[in-house]
């Protein structure tokens, strides 16, 4: 399950990295390319253990990384000289009769985060797939991880398709100790990622919050989701720090955001972006922005 942006890591953005305003890599000594050798694929497996923990049972083995490349999948890394700093992995298949790509993992070493490596891995993955005639990509990410949300929605421009409760179940990773609820994304690879920070185009900061402070009430959710055209869903700026301080509080955030997303989607809303910081009028808080669909 990505970490950089997909499901997983404490990078700051299973596809997690500290929020960046750029998709271009900042370290010109880093090369993004396919994994080529058994040694490189074993290094990728070890990186998974460092990111998700030694008890992570869903590690992708080197042989699977190799086989995936043979059938249109992507297994690529970010290298400085011979050192692997990050990787992206996904499988290509058929969904509803249409070729599609499932991007399963993205992770960056802790010391290498915040340099645009995660976004650059995604752009490389996109180019590889377009060369193969694949026009869409799907993946999931933890909606509580603010850095992943910024990268996926604002910088890449992916669309939220669904909310899935406990998608991966127990994986043995400490990063998943407060559950594996995920937002399912779809990315039209034929469209260029948005220029700049798309969060500024979202609803105004006066839109009602469905779960203020990480708490949600079913009656209030029903009222807001039936009467409002724009709403917000709050998440913590750093869910991992929340969990370190108080695991029960992290679980409370999970429950409240699950209720909020499911109620909003049932009410005909769609996610349009994520915004945080005082420059957006949020007083340092982080919110998903949602608008009612035209057919909602």
């Amino acid at each position: 399950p990505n970490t950089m942006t997909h499901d997983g890591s404490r990078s700051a953005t299973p596809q997690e990295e500290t929020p960046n305003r750029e998709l271009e890599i900042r370290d010109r000594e880093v090369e993004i390319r396919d994994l080529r050798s058994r040694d490189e694929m074993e290094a990728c497996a070890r990186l998974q253990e460092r990111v998700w923990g030694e008890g992570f049972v869903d590690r992708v083995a080197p042989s699977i990384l190799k086989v995936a490349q043979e059938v249109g999948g992507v297994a690529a890394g970010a290298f400085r000289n011979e050192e692997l700093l990050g990787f992206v992995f996904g499988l290509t298949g058929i969904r509803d009769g249409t070729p599609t790509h499932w991007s399963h993992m993205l992770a960056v070493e802790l010391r290498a985060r915040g340099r645009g490596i995660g976004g650059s891995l995604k752009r490389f993955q996109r180019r590889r797939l377009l060369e193969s005639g694949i026009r869409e990509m799907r993946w999931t990410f933890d909606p509580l991880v603010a850095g992943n949300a910024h990268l996926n929605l604002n910088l890449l421009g992916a669309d939220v398709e669904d909310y899935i409760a406990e998608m991966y179940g127990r994986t043995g990773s400490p990063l998943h100790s407060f559950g594996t609820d995920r937002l399912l994304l779809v990315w039209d690879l034929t469209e260029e990622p948005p220029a700049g920070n798309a969060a500024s185009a979202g609803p105004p900061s006066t839109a009602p919050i469905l779960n203020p402070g990480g708490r949600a009430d079913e009656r209030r959710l029903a009222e807001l989701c039936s009467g409002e055209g724009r709403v917000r869903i709050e998440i913590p700026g750093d869910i991992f720090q929340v969990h370190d301080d108080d695991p029960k509080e992290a679980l409370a955030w999970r429950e409240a955001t699950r209720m909020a997303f499911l109620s909003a989607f049932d009410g005909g809303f769609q996610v349009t972006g994520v915004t945080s910081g005082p420059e957006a009028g949020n007083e340092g808080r982080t919110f998903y922005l949602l608008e009612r669909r035209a057919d909602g």
Side-chain angles (χ1 to χ4, degrees):
N2 300 313
T3 267
M4 249 247 51
T5 269
H6 302 183
D7 268 352
S9 130
R10 189 158 183 163
S11 86
T13 282
Q15 296 178 346
E16 285 166 23
E17 186 170 306
T18 302
N20 293 305
R21 301 297 184 186
E22 309 168 13
L23 284 175
E24 293 301 327
I25 199 164
R26 300 177 184 176
D27 189 338
R28 299 304 174 184
E29 295 182 358
V30 174
E31 177 188 13
I32 308 293
R33 60 171 175 79
D34 294 316
L35 301 179
R36 296 171 180 166
S37 67
R38 175 74 186 192
D39 286 346
E40 290 179 355
M41 292 178 187
E42 289 178 349
C44 180
R46 291 193 296 271
L47 176 54
Q48 294 174 52
E49 291 184 346
R50 289 196 295 277
V51 169
W52 282 280
E54 293 184 0
F56 182 49
V57 298
D58 286 353
R59 187 188 76 162
V60 179
S63 58
I64 300 301
L65 296 171
K66 175 62 176 177
V67 168
Q69 290 180 330
E70 298 296 324
V71 290
V74 175
F79 293 88
R80 183 190 289 116
N81 298 321
E82 300 301 317
E83 180 187 13
L84 181 66
L85 298 179
F87 78 95
V88 64
F89 166 70
L91 298 164
T92 297
I94 303 296
R95 179 187 173 97
D96 298 328
T98 301
T100 190
H101 183 82
W102 183 275
S103 187
H104 182 53
M105 284 182 167
L106 171 66
V108 175
E109 288 276 16
L110 180 61
R111 66 182 183 280
R113 291 168 192 166
R115 303 179 188 178
I117 291 176
S120 294
L121 284 164
K122 291 305 298 177
R123 289 171 70 91
F124 178 90
Q125 186 180 26
R126 174 176 176 267
R127 289 195 300 271
R128 270 284 180 269
L129 296 173
L130 286 172
E131 291 168 359
S132 302
I134 306 299
R135 304 172 69 86
E136 70 174 22
M137 183 193 305
R138 283 179 166 79
W139 69 91
T140 65
F141 78 98
D142 189 336
L144 289 177
V145 181
N148 280 355
H150 173 69
L151 173 60
N152 293 331
L153 303 182
N154 295 339
L155 296 185
L156 297 178
D159 295 318
V160 176
E161 190 172 74
D162 199 3
Y163 185 101
I164 305 172
E166 290 296 347
M167 178 164 183
Y168 297 104
R170 296 180 180 179
T171 69
S173 172
L175 297 177
H176 299 157
S177 57
F178 45 91
T180 58
D181 285 22
R182 295 293 182 261
L183 285 176
L184 172 61
L185 301 177
V186 58
W187 192 21
D188 184 346
L189 302 178
T190 66
E191 296 184 0
E192 287 291 332
N197 181 13
S200 61
S205 60
T206 55
I209 304 167
L210 298 183
N211 62 326
R215 299 294 184 270
D217 175 81
E218 288 188 13
R219 172 180 287 185
R220 184 171 184 273
L221 283 174
E223 292 175 352
L224 292 175
C225 291
S226 63
E228 297 288 339
R230 293 173 169 178
V231 296
R232 292 179 290 169
I233 294 176
E234 185 172 4
I235 60 172
D238 185 346
I239 184 59
F240 297 109
Q241 187 61 57
V242 172
H243 181 265
D244 289 347
D245 294 341
D246 185 351
K248 291 184 179 179
E249 182 66 13
L251 291 173
W253 274 103
R254 176 70 76 200
E255 180 179 357
T257 52
R258 178 189 296 171
M259 291 173 58
F261 273 111
L262 292 178
S263 295
F265 289 173
D266 285 346
F269 286 87
Q270 62 185 0
V271 177
T272 60
V274 64
T275 184
S276 63
E279 72 279 2
N282 293 331
E283 300 177 353
R285 299 162 75 185
T286 300
F287 300 98
Y288 284 91
L289 312 171
L290 298 91
E291 294 186 10
R292 191 180 301 280
R293 298 191 306 269
D295 60 347

